[in-house]
Amino acid sequence: MSSGRISKLAGLLLACAAAGCATGASAETNLKVFVTSQGQPAIWRTLLDQYEARNPGIKVSVELGGTTSDMQAQYLNTVLTAKDSSLDVLMLDVIRPAQFAAAGWTSPIATDMSAYLRAYAEANTIDGKVVALPAFADSMFLYYRKDLLDKYGLQPPKTWDELADAAKKVADGEKNPNLQGLSFQGKAIEGAVCTFLVPYWSQGKVVTKDGKLDFDREAATKSLALWKGFADSGVAKKNIAEVATDDTRKEFQAGNVLFAVNWAYAWAMSQGAESAVSGKVGVARLPAIKGGEQATCLGGWEWGVSAFSKHQDEAKKLVEYLSSPEVSKYMAINGSLLPTYGKLYKDADVTKAVPWFADAQPIVETAKPRPVTPRYNEVSEVIRTTVNAVLAGATTPADGAAQIEARLKRIIR
Ligand code: GLC
């Protein structure tokens, strides 16, 4: 063979290797999925293993996001601004689709959204296009120690004042310096945006109306003062400004918290082998500001296909599977992630595994969304850093409310 023909053959083989066209054996597609560490990643992995077994030729690897939603957003912003193609499928917090769609970072998915809970069909449809598919639903709940409330003849509180009274009664009786009355998120993380909004909304106020800022400074002051009051009176611990979502989960699970504000994922772990409170936990609606309504924050995560993925068809197929009723049911049963399909809330297998899901659908359906805007990152930053500053004692509730208003005015016009 002439050296010219040999180099031509070598060139062909190299091109083939680069394009993944294996000779003889069938080609393999490797997909990389970005998964939030807040959403039971190990359980998603078992489903991905099953998907690989059902789809020969597809291999799926997982990249785990940082411990908070805002850390994950920061990372994804860097990767996607660089048009990096290494991630094919992205698990996104429900507050992100508007920004990701505006930036052109996710590929539209042609699908019918009518079977999903309406909030998620809406959050993922931007300018008439479906930009991601629901992974799991979520909202904030009040976790409480059923055993301790029973011991003191108490009911789950319906107002924050009742909660403070109950916490005091239990603290006086238990005399346990390690028992916190209430744990919530005061660290400058995404969860603190909901910390601020829950009592704000409870007063019947909105943040935006018809896309314009409609801020109530008095309601904001009251919200910030409520949380600071819990820290000052000893219902919450002094360094609540350092507490992130998973800290609340761990401290509650260790038996050191009477009431906790948390998302649905915390349930499965509170019932696990490593929990000190298994069988002693109740879940209820979050309390209201006296005279107001019991409001909560809409959470949840979505599956998007990266616009830069080199495997668009395979990634969309995987996302459709991950968003299917079969998977939603599996994650509800095994990971206590709330279903994205209404019919699963009364499913006998689901309610057997997580009894309180039977009453959770109306709570999720009336949960309020955080402001929907492509500039959500900035909105979030303003709110969460101010909540944190107030709880750390660096700003008063009134000044904090004024700062939030002034800064939001420059973002939402
Ligand atoms: C939960 C929610 C998500 C929220 C986050 C904040 O994961 O599902 O929407 O932003 O908590 O910590």
Side-chain angles (χ1 to χ4, degrees):
M1 208 187 282
S2 76
S3 65
R5 284 187 66 192
I6 291 174
S7 67
K8 210 167 167 187
L9 192 64
L12 270 174
L13 283 173
L14 275 177
C16 205
C21 55
T23 41
S26 64
E28 193 168 271
T29 304
N30 291 292
L31 297 175
K32 197 187 252 183
V33 176
F34 181 83
V35 176
T36 172
S37 51
Q38 276 180 307
Q40 320 287 30
I43 307 176
W44 287 104
R45 181 68 252 180
T46 62
L47 287 168
L48 293 170
D49 291 345
Q50 186 183 309
Y51 188 79
E52 286 179 343
R54 285 187 197 169
N55 294 273
I58 303 279
K59 286 272 169 271
V60 189
S61 59
V62 168
E63 182 165 329
L64 205 57
T67 52
T68 62
S69 174
D70 40 285
M71 279 167 65
Q72 292 161 32
Q74 214 169 42
Y75 172 72
L76 289 178
N77 284 350
T78 311
V79 169
L80 297 167
T81 302
K83 301 192 180 356
D84 187 319
S85 65
S86 62
L87 297 173
D88 299 285
V89 168
L90 317 166
M91 192 190 259
L92 302 174
D93 196 334
V94 66
I95 49 199
R96 316 259 175 240
Q99 181 212 345
F100 276 57
W105 289 345
T106 51
S107 303
I109 303 170
T111 196
D112 175 13
M113 298 292 277
S114 58
Y116 295 107
L117 293 182
R118 198 164 52 93
Y120 298 98
E122 280 173 3
N124 290 305
T125 309
I126 311 286
D127 294 334
K129 287 206 182 100
V130 175
V131 300
L133 298 183
F136 61 94
D138 212 353
S139 63
M140 273 183 158
F141 296 90
L142 183 71
Y143 283 72
Y144 60 89
R145 285 285 299 279
K146 213 161 22 108
D147 57 328
L148 288 174
L149 292 197
D150 287 349
K151 182 171 168 190
Y152 292 92
L154 295 162
Q155 293 297 313
K158 291 214 170 356
T159 65
W160 293 107
D161 289 351
E162 281 172 30
L163 181 141
D165 291 346
K168 186 155 187 322
K169 190 163 177 190
V170 174
D172 289 348
E174 292 295 295
K175 300 193 176 31
N176 170 1
N178 292 326
L179 184 68
Q180 300 163 47
L182 171 67
S183 180
F184 62 92
Q185 290 82 56
K187 199 166 176 171
I189 57 160
E190 179 54 37
V193 176
C194 291
T195 299
F196 168 74
L197 287 170
V198 163
Y200 178 89
W201 283 326
S202 173
Q203 299 166 76
K205 305 298 176 184
V206 296
V207 177
T208 57
K209 199 170 181 181
D210 304 327
K212 296 239 176 345
L213 191 67
D214 187 13
F215 196 75
D216 189 301
R217 204 195 294 181
E218 216 175 292
T221 304
K222 213 162 163 182
S223 169
L224 294 168
L226 174 85
W227 298 118
K228 182 67 166 77
F230 284 139
D232 290 345
S233 64
V235 169
K237 64 177 184 179
K238 286 274 172 281
N239 66 341
I240 195 73
E242 286 160 32
V243 172
T245 316
D246 216 39
D247 300 320
T248 297
R249 196 264 305 165
K250 286 186 197 136
E251 290 174 17
F252 184 82
Q253 203 174 302
N256 295 334
V257 174
L258 175 63
F259 295 112
V261 178
N262 215 334
W263 306 86
Y265 84 106
W267 169 265
M269 298 180 185
S270 80
Q271 300 307 301
E274 279 159 35
S275 170
V277 295
S278 179
K280 301 177 179 168
V281 182
V283 181
R285 273 185 196 270
L286 285 176
I289 291 261
K290 204 170 169 195
E293 57 175 302
Q294 288 180 270
T296 190
C297 197
L298 183 80
W301 293 75
E302 325 304 316
W303 290 115
V305 171
S306 164
F308 310 111
S309 163
K310 300 240 163 34
H311 309 289
Q312 292 290 320
D313 292 344
E314 294 89 345
K316 278 182 196 162
K317 205 174 146 214
L318 174 59
V319 159
E320 275 159 14
Y321 165 73
L322 291 173
S323 184
S324 65
E326 172 195 351
V327 166
S328 187
K329 178 167 171 172
Y330 185 89
M331 292 309 297
I333 293 172
N334 295 286
S336 75
L337 297 184
L338 284 155
T340 52
Y341 296 91
K343 64 172 187 204
L344 290 176
Y345 284 76
K346 299 282 182 204
D347 181 284
D349 301 327
V350 170
T351 53
K352 186 165 168 252
V354 195
W356 64 272
F357 275 13
D359 303 316
Q361 190 179 351
I363 302 179
V364 175
E365 284 183 327
T366 52
K368 297 191 193 301
R370 285 158 274 178
V372 177
T373 153
R375 295 182 68 179
Y376 182 76
N377 278 341
E378 293 159 84
V379 171
S380 164
E381 217 258 340
V382 166
I383 298 178
R384 62 190 148 93
T385 52
T386 311
V387 168
N388 179 258
V390 169
L391 290 170
T395 311
T396 63
D399 285 349
Q403 283 160 23
I404 293 178
E405 180 173 28
R407 294 177 66 196
L408 286 185
K409 261 189 191 148
R410 283 181 242 138
I411 303 168
I412 308 172
R413 288 176 236 208

